Amino acid sequence: MTTIRTRYAPSPTGYMHVGGVRTALFAFLLARQNNNGRFILRLEDTDQKREVEGSAEHLIKSLNALGISYDEGPDIGGDFAPYKQSERLDIYKNWAQKLIDAGRAYADPYTGDEIQAFRDQARAAKQPFLYRNHRPENPPVWNGTTPLRFKSDPKTYAWYDEVMGRLTTGPEVIDDFILIKTDGFPTYNFAHIVDDAEMKITHIIRGQEFISSQPNYLNLYEALNLDHPIFATVPHIMADAGNKKLGKRDGAKDVLEYIKDGYLPETLINFIASMGWNDGTEQEIFSMDELIAKFSLDRVQRSGARFDEKRLLWMNGQWIRKLSLDDLYERVANFWPEAAESASLDYKKQVLAMVQDRLKVLSELPLLSSYFFEEPTPDWTMISNNKQLSKLSNDEILSFLDSAQNALLNCDHNPEAVQSTLNELLETTGQKPGILFSLIRLAVSWAPFSPALNETIAVLGKDKVQARLKLAIEIANNPTK
Ligand code: GLU
């Protein structure tokens, strides 16, 4: 049986966005679900003009952060090293020579202006422009000062794509494309075919932008006497609104940015896998192990998948809730509000346990927890703009805060004792929890939301609760609030 070998072959031209991660992830899953499957990272750095300094390191960092591990690659080597195309130029030259010897490649003698004139001619005649209509009769011997072009053999093709199904094209799409440029570097069109063959790649998983070139690739495989790998074309990721491909402005951020913002790697893997793939059930939360067990190319959808940022947020909340408190504690290490620096580990864990259910991104931790570590700034408009609380008179507010202060003064600050004190307060004031508890909640936190009131009070402790209620009473007494 052949070993499954898949690859992720990015060009180091920028950061790693969700589309790139999805291609890498699908290829990784396919390799991992097969015994002895191998997943390879190959850097396609043949377009020197587009190369962005540092992006290769960035890609590697992103894959590591997400747990998409590769078995062979530029930084770890492997049986088919080097894994960086700029270090494989001799290999492409050798393969190019085979094509020259077989009469299937020629030196392109034309200048840019001459090619433009051919294009103009074709347009004037309302014909599609094809290089192969202008093949030179006696091309010069190729010496590297001109591009080397493939001499194609136009014909009809029918092939099977694991995602897109059966596809067919006519001879009109086959043309002579460049194999090696004048800078000595191969084109993607040539290099990836050579490398996939040399590296014994069994499955090519890549984005939709390459599908129109597929018949030309088939033509080149034939010229090189190569069996082609299995193809799987994944559809574009579409922006949430409208009908366009996801771009930077629609939130196609660098994946490391998402991690910096407090998205968990588990979430990103789950979310990205589910853009265009599902297992046919209602299940939405998948761990990496489940994805390895369940992923299959034939369940990748053909139409564009939507990038739904709200769903990403929801999913992150789900994953945060699944973490043990100790695990979560480690992951939020860099997200605490500054004021938490001097707090004890125990206290921080208590706070974290309370907000875990509400956290959707780790970076929200300060918003949800700062009042546990520093005195909040009272904002009376939170009371006066509150639908329920605005109905209370100032005297009522004062009296409720006063009763709360007195009742809590003589109560142990543990969640049970605080809860029974609060229940008694409901009885003595004759108020509904929605009113009384909201008022007390604001007076002790001045936060738009907080965990259960009894727990909040218990964790804050008597000193802080008393001081904050006292301050709220002072403000209520001040007519200029
Ligand atoms: N180097 C190509 C890119 O970055 C890879 C395409 C492929 O996977 O073959 O888009």
Side-chain angles (χ1 to χ4, degrees), residues 13-19 50 52 55 58 237-240 244-255 257-258 307 309:
T13 53
Y15 61 75
M16 196 168 178
H17 53 77
V18 290
R50 287 181 55 225
V52 173
S55 58
H58 193 92
I237 297 177
M238 310 298 282
D240 206 4
K244 61 178 178 43
K245 215 178 122 190
L246 185 71
K248 279 187 198 164
R249 255 174 276 139
D250 317 296
K253 273 193 291 193
D254 173 352
V255 282
E257 285 292 314
Y258 281 108
F307 181 83
E309 201 137 26

Side-chain angles (χ1 to χ4, degrees), residues 84-334:
K84 206 172 165 188
Q85 288 185 328
S86 58
E87 293 169 7
R88 301 172 61 78
L89 300 185
D90 287 345
I91 299 176
Y92 309 121
K93 293 238 166 75
N94 286 338
W95 284 74
Q97 194 57 49
K98 286 189 211 177
L99 288 169
I100 295 171
D101 294 347
R104 295 302 304 272
Y106 61 90
D108 172 347
Y110 299 117
T111 63
D113 285 347
E114 284 168 321
I115 291 178
Q116 191 52 47
F118 295 148
R119 275 184 200 284
D120 295 343
Q121 261 173 33
R123 190 172 315 124
K126 299 202 170 31
Q127 295 288 327
F129 168 67
L130 289 166
Y131 282 96
R132 61 176 157 85
N133 292 339
H134 305 279
R135 274 180 201 154
E137 270 171 34
N138 294 306
V141 174
W142 184 62
N143 61 7
T145 59
T146 63
L148 182 70
R149 234 175 237 285
F150 176 49
K151 186 172 171 194
S152 64
D153 176 16
K155 53 167 86 162
T156 297
Y157 278 105
W159 74 100
Y160 187 76
D161 183 291
E162 295 290 308
V163 175
M164 298 296 172
R166 200 176 157 70
L167 300 167
T168 51
T169 48
E172 68 284 355
V173 299
I174 305 288
D175 199 9
D176 294 0
F177 57 88
I178 293 181
L179 301 167
I180 303 215
K181 301 173 283 180
T182 48
D183 62 4
F185 280 69
T187 55
Y188 163 76
N189 293 340
F190 182 45
H192 87 275
I193 287 181
V194 168
D195 287 343
D196 287 342
E198 290 248 341
M199 296 177 182
K200 301 197 182 340
I201 299 301
T202 56
H203 293 67
I204 296 183
I205 296 166
R206 68 181 152 205
Q208 208 177 331
E209 56 274 33
F210 298 98
I211 202 158
S212 59
S213 306
Q214 190 66 69
N216 280 296
Y217 301 153
L218 292 170
N219 208 240
L220 182 56
Y221 284 114
E222 275 177 21
L224 291 168
N225 279 322
L226 291 172
D227 288 335
H228 64 75
I230 292 171
F231 303 117
T233 300
V234 290
H236 289 314
I237 297 177
M238 310 298 282
D240 206 4
N243 213 6
K244 61 178 178 43
K245 215 178 122 190
L246 185 71
K248 279 187 198 164
R249 255 174 276 139
D250 317 296
K253 273 193 291 193
D254 173 352
V255 282
L256 290 180
E257 285 292 314
Y258 281 108
I259 291 181
K260 242 200 266 142
D261 286 352
Y263 285 89
L264 306 182
E266 288 91 335
T267 308
L268 292 166
I269 291 294
N270 188 166
F271 178 73
I272 290 170
S274 67
M275 269 190 294
W277 174 85
N278 65 66
D279 73 342
T281 73
E282 296 290 291
Q283 184 173 343
E284 295 196 77
I285 303 297
F286 293 92
S287 66
M288 187 72 109
D289 284 344
E290 281 175 292
L291 289 172
I292 291 172
K294 296 187 172 172
F295 177 75
S296 71
L297 284 174
D298 59 7
R299 291 210 57 85
V300 174
Q301 73 190 40
R302 288 183 190 175
S303 55
R306 293 234 163 247
F307 181 83
D308 181 348
E309 201 137 26
K310 283 202 215 82
R311 183 155 181 268
L312 174 64
L313 197 63
W314 167 81
M315 207 175 256
N316 204 46
Q318 300 291 313
W319 273 103
I320 289 175
R321 255 172 259 181
K322 282 163 90 78
L323 299 178
S324 70
L325 187 58
D326 286 338
D327 192 354
L328 179 60
Y329 184 75
E330 274 176 32
R331 304 216 202 190
V332 296
N334 297 323

